[in-house]
Amino acid sequence: MNFFSKENWARVVVVFIIVIFSSLILIKVFSDVLEKKGINVPGAAGSAAGAPPNAGGPGGPGGSGGPGGAPNDAVQSTVTVSAKTLKPETIISTVHVNGDISSKSEVSTFPITSGKITQIRYDIGDSVKANDIIAYVDPSKPGANYVASPVKAPVSGTIIDCNVHPGDTVSQNTVIATIGSVSDIEVVVYVSEKYSKYLKIGLPAYLHLTAFSDEKFMTKITAISPVVSKNTRTIKVSLGFDSYDNRIKPGMFASIDLVLQQRDNTIVIPKKALRTYNDKQSVFVINPTTNTVERAIVTVGLTNDNEVQITSGLSIGQKVVTAGSVTEGCSVRIADES
């Protein structure tokens, strides 16, 4: 067999051509796989297809990784936030206490003798005049006869409490009824001694009643006890009303927010807007030109359950982020503004 015959050379050429084309196909497949996985192979796809390396292959000027294609880095997203425009406001600090509404001129009525109640002539809410007979007490004992002793009203007013019923046995120390005024009323509360330095005549308070749960009534401090109770460590405080409201009645239970401190014409933000940065209080302020946020270090003044006073670090007219997960420099879109 002659190795250098024409037939053998023809076979060699055919095999060589098959090997070349198979290699090109393998290179193209391999480049496509790497490109799908995000691995940049400069010029590979273009070379495999017989095109110039920079004619749109990955990494070339027209490719997906080059200047002519889409950038590899993700575009920074815009964060939706809630914001507040700063303006002069008032902030108050309060303490919550409970108390009872009572008449300022309450007078207790006592019998002049011991015995059994035989008759009650007036009920709670009835008006009486001084010396009207409220009840009768029979002081008689078995084997003796006595005339029923009258219990008289010492002052004019309204029966606001009655503690006895016919048939009850009473003594000279038993309160038969309490007489007072339903229009001249006050609220008596007991405030912890730790708040004593804030208590002043005239400080306002907000009154809440169960019967009118959606309404707030204004009161103010009219009297402060000069002593602290040794047993409870509290101070007795009286609250009065500027005008009479017939919806507020003696005997009602009251829930009161007593104003201890107040700051007017100051910057106030929600507590949730505060952030801690390097052990300092800060907030995020929106730049109106770029719609990006910048961190501002602030000083906090008066606080309450929901709000804080800012004494330095912010200015009237600025917009502060009140809700939203932001970082310094990020772009924002305001969805809710107050």
Side-chain angles (χ1 to χ4, degrees):
M1 176 179 176
N2 187 2
F3 181 78
F4 296 102
S5 66
K6 291 183 178 180
E7 292 81 1
N8 288 339
W9 275 111
R11 292 190 184 95
V12 170
V13 171
V14 170
V15 170
F16 182 75
I17 293 172
I18 292 173
V19 170
I20 293 298
F21 274 96
S22 297
S23 299
L24 292 175
I25 292 172
L26 288 175
I27 291 173
K28 180 65 169 67
V29 171
F30 184 67
S31 298
D32 290 343
V33 171
L34 292 180
E35 183 178 355
K36 288 180 180 180
K37 291 185 177 182
I39 301 175
N40 193 10
V41 184
S47 298
N54 292 331
S64 61
N72 286 329
D73 294 333
V75 178
Q76 187 179 27
S77 60
T78 299
V79 180
T80 301
V81 299
S82 296
K84 176 180 180 178
T85 301
L86 302 181
K87 57 183 181 296
E89 294 183 76
T90 296
I91 184 173
I92 59 174
S93 174
T94 63
V95 59
H96 187 78
V97 291
N98 297 321
D100 296 310
I101 297 173
S102 59
S103 174
K104 287 184 180 180
S105 55
E106 290 184 1
V107 177
S108 297
T109 305
F110 300 91
I112 60 174
T113 184
S114 300
K116 286 187 177 181
I117 298 291
T118 60
Q119 184 183 2
I120 302 290
R121 301 188 63 193
Y122 294 92
D123 202 353
I124 294 177
D126 292 339
S127 297
V128 296
K129 295 181 179 179
N131 293 319
D132 282 350
I133 298 175
I134 297 173
Y136 285 98
V137 175
D138 181 5
S140 64
K141 297 179 181 178
N145 293 320
Y146 293 92
V147 177
S149 174
V151 179
K152 296 182 179 181
V155 294
S156 298
T158 303
I159 304 292
I160 59 176
D161 196 12
C162 187
N163 303 307
V164 295
H165 303 86
D168 288 350
T169 299
V170 297
S171 70
Q172 291 175 297
N173 295 323
T174 303
V175 177
I176 303 300
T178 303
I179 302 172
S181 171
V182 294
S183 59
D184 189 17
I185 58 177
E186 65 179 357
V187 187
V188 177
V189 298
Y190 295 88
V191 182
S192 173
E193 65 174 325
K194 67 181 178 180
Y195 300 115
S196 60
K197 65 180 179 179
Y198 301 115
L199 298 177
K200 296 178 182 178
I201 300 295
L203 276 181
Y206 300 97
L207 182 78
H208 306 273
L209 301 174
T210 303
F212 307 98
S213 57
D214 296 332
E215 193 164 354
K216 196 162 51 174
F217 300 88
M218 283 298 300
T219 66
K220 62 182 179 182
I221 295 179
T222 54
I224 304 170
S225 173
V227 297
V228 176
S229 170
K230 291 182 179 180
N231 297 326
T232 61
R233 296 300 176 188
T234 57
I235 300 171
K236 182 180 178 181
V237 175
S238 298
L239 307 173
F241 300 88
D242 288 333
S243 58
Y244 170 63
D245 190 328
N246 60 7
R247 295 175 297 173
I248 306 175
K249 306 179 185 300
M252 280 184 165
F253 173 80
S255 176
I256 303 107
D257 290 319
L258 183 62
V259 176
L260 299 179
Q261 298 181 81
Q262 179 171 319
R263 300 288 185 272
D264 299 318
N265 297 317
T266 188
I267 294 176
V268 180
I269 65 171
K271 251 185 180 179
K272 61 183 180 180
L274 276 180
R275 314 290 176 96
T276 302
Y277 179 72
N278 289 340
D279 295 327
K280 295 181 179 180
Q281 300 279 41
S282 67
V283 298
F284 283 111
V285 178
I286 300 175
N287 186 318
T289 303
T290 62
N291 282 331
T292 58
V293 295
E294 303 168 355
R295 191 188 303 275
I297 304 300
V298 297
T299 304
V300 173
L302 189 62
T303 66
N304 57 32
D305 291 340
N306 302 310
E307 299 174 317
V308 295
Q309 175 197 18
I310 302 301
T311 58
S312 67
L314 296 177
S315 301
I316 299 297
Q318 289 183 300
K319 284 183 172 60
V320 171
V321 175
T322 57
S325 181
V326 296
T327 56
E328 188 164 16
C330 75
S331 298
V332 295
R333 180 181 71 86
I334 301 175
D336 181 32
E337 185 173 349
S338 59

